Amino acid sequence: MTWVIRLLVAAISALFLIIGVRAMLDPQSIITQFELGRQGVTGTSAIRADMGGFFVGTALAALIGLFPGKRQWLLGAAGMVALAFTGRAIGLLSDGLTANIAQSMIIEAITIALLVAAFGILNPRRREALAAERAAEAETQRLATEQERLAAEQNDMMAQNDDQQQRDRDLAQPIV
């Protein structure tokens, strides 16, 4: 399960990274995609810095969160996306809904849920509990095997004892 969640977080991070790098290197594609209208030098710079920085920063935070002991970064990334979602929700109330806005909000909601779920699933205590559970199962299996072996030995000893008693009885009989 953890490899699936890691793969999904990596995939969404790759998507955000691509969008962020596009915003920095080709702001015109972002201007068109997000219907930002005509921009001057200052607006283009803001798209490169603000949008590019947001997407690249979120992607890097999510990726860092995949490393052991760094899962709190997943919540930082989720918080950043949640703020973007909040901004869209405010715009939704005042400006209305378009297909592009709905698509963006759905992607953001899924991203937030994924990052928060990853935070929970990648919990080291959960891994420790699973490892302890596996160890307990292995120990139970080992004990069961040991009990079976001891029972087989006991049966063998009882059979040998029965054979010895039969020999003793046979030898105790007078020869006629």
PDB file of all heavy atoms in Angstrom, residues 5 7 22 32 88 164:
ATOM      1  N   ILE A   5       0.837   4.721  -2.605  1.00  0.00           N
ATOM      2  CA  ILE A   5       0.669   6.115  -2.179  1.00  0.00           C
ATOM      3  C   ILE A   5       1.904   6.928  -2.551  1.00  0.00           C
ATOM      4  O   ILE A   5       1.798   8.078  -2.981  1.00  0.00           O
ATOM      5  CB  ILE A   5       0.330   6.223  -0.671  1.00  0.00           C
ATOM      6  CG1 ILE A   5      -0.309   7.585  -0.354  1.00  0.00           C
ATOM      7  CG2 ILE A   5       1.513   6.030   0.211  1.00  0.00           C
ATOM      8  CD1 ILE A   5      -1.738   7.684  -0.701  1.00  0.00           C
ATOM      9  N   LEU A   7       3.855   6.370  -5.101  1.00  0.00           N
ATOM     10  CA  LEU A   7       3.787   6.549  -6.549  1.00  0.00           C
ATOM     11  C   LEU A   7       2.792   7.652  -6.915  1.00  0.00           C
ATOM     12  O   LEU A   7       3.072   8.498  -7.775  1.00  0.00           O
ATOM     13  CB  LEU A   7       3.396   5.227  -7.223  1.00  0.00           C
ATOM     14  CG  LEU A   7       3.428   5.203  -8.733  1.00  0.00           C
ATOM     15  CD1 LEU A   7       4.832   5.443  -9.253  1.00  0.00           C
ATOM     16  CD2 LEU A   7       2.912   3.859  -9.229  1.00  0.00           C
ATOM     17  N   ARG A  22       7.000  25.118 -16.498  1.00  0.00           N
ATOM     18  CA  ARG A  22       6.392  25.800 -17.656  1.00  0.00           C
ATOM     19  C   ARG A  22       6.110  27.261 -17.332  1.00  0.00           C
ATOM     20  O   ARG A  22       6.315  28.146 -18.164  1.00  0.00           O
ATOM     21  CB  ARG A  22       5.090  25.097 -18.059  1.00  0.00           C
ATOM     22  CG  ARG A  22       5.291  23.994 -19.060  1.00  0.00           C
ATOM     23  CD  ARG A  22       3.984  23.390 -19.552  1.00  0.00           C
ATOM     24  NE  ARG A  22       3.049  24.371 -20.033  1.00  0.00           N
ATOM     25  CZ  ARG A  22       1.733  24.307 -19.832  1.00  0.00           C
ATOM     26  NH1 ARG A  22       1.207  23.317 -19.156  1.00  0.00           N
ATOM     27  NH2 ARG A  22       0.944  25.226 -20.319  1.00  0.00           N
ATOM     28  N   THR A  32      -2.186  31.482 -21.310  1.00  0.00           N
ATOM     29  CA  THR A  32      -3.264  30.937 -22.140  1.00  0.00           C
ATOM     30  C   THR A  32      -4.057  29.895 -21.366  1.00  0.00           C
ATOM     31  O   THR A  32      -5.294  29.926 -21.347  1.00  0.00           O
ATOM     32  CB  THR A  32      -2.681  30.308 -23.430  1.00  0.00           C
ATOM     33  OG1 THR A  32      -1.922  31.299 -24.103  1.00  0.00           O
ATOM     34  CG2 THR A  32      -3.766  29.770 -24.320  1.00  0.00           C
ATOM     35  N   ARG A  88      -9.771  29.774  -4.851  1.00  0.00           N
ATOM     36  CA  ARG A  88     -10.739  29.450  -5.908  1.00  0.00           C
ATOM     37  C   ARG A  88     -12.164  29.444  -5.367  1.00  0.00           C
ATOM     38  O   ARG A  88     -13.092  29.880  -6.047  1.00  0.00           O
ATOM     39  CB  ARG A  88     -10.415  28.098  -6.530  1.00  0.00           C
ATOM     40  CG  ARG A  88      -9.209  28.140  -7.413  1.00  0.00           C
ATOM     41  CD  ARG A  88      -9.118  26.877  -8.252  1.00  0.00           C
ATOM     42  NE  ARG A  88      -7.763  26.677  -8.711  1.00  0.00           N
ATOM     43  CZ  ARG A  88      -7.225  27.305  -9.741  1.00  0.00           C
ATOM     44  NH1 ARG A  88      -7.918  28.163 -10.425  1.00  0.00           N
ATOM     45  NH2 ARG A  88      -5.975  27.066 -10.086  1.00  0.00           N
ATOM     46  N   GLN A 164       9.726 -51.089  23.543  1.00  0.00           N
ATOM     47  CA  GLN A 164      10.611 -51.578  24.614  1.00  0.00           C
ATOM     48  C   GLN A 164       9.815 -52.396  25.627  1.00  0.00           C
ATOM     49  O   GLN A 164      10.274 -53.455  26.066  1.00  0.00           O
ATOM     50  CB  GLN A 164      11.307 -50.396  25.304  1.00  0.00           C
ATOM     51  CG  GLN A 164      12.298 -50.801  26.359  1.00  0.00           C
ATOM     52  CD  GLN A 164      13.473 -51.569  25.767  1.00  0.00           C
ATOM     53  OE1 GLN A 164      13.960 -51.255  24.695  1.00  0.00           O
ATOM     54  NE2 GLN A 164      13.901 -52.614  26.448  1.00  0.00           N
TER      55      GLN A 164
END
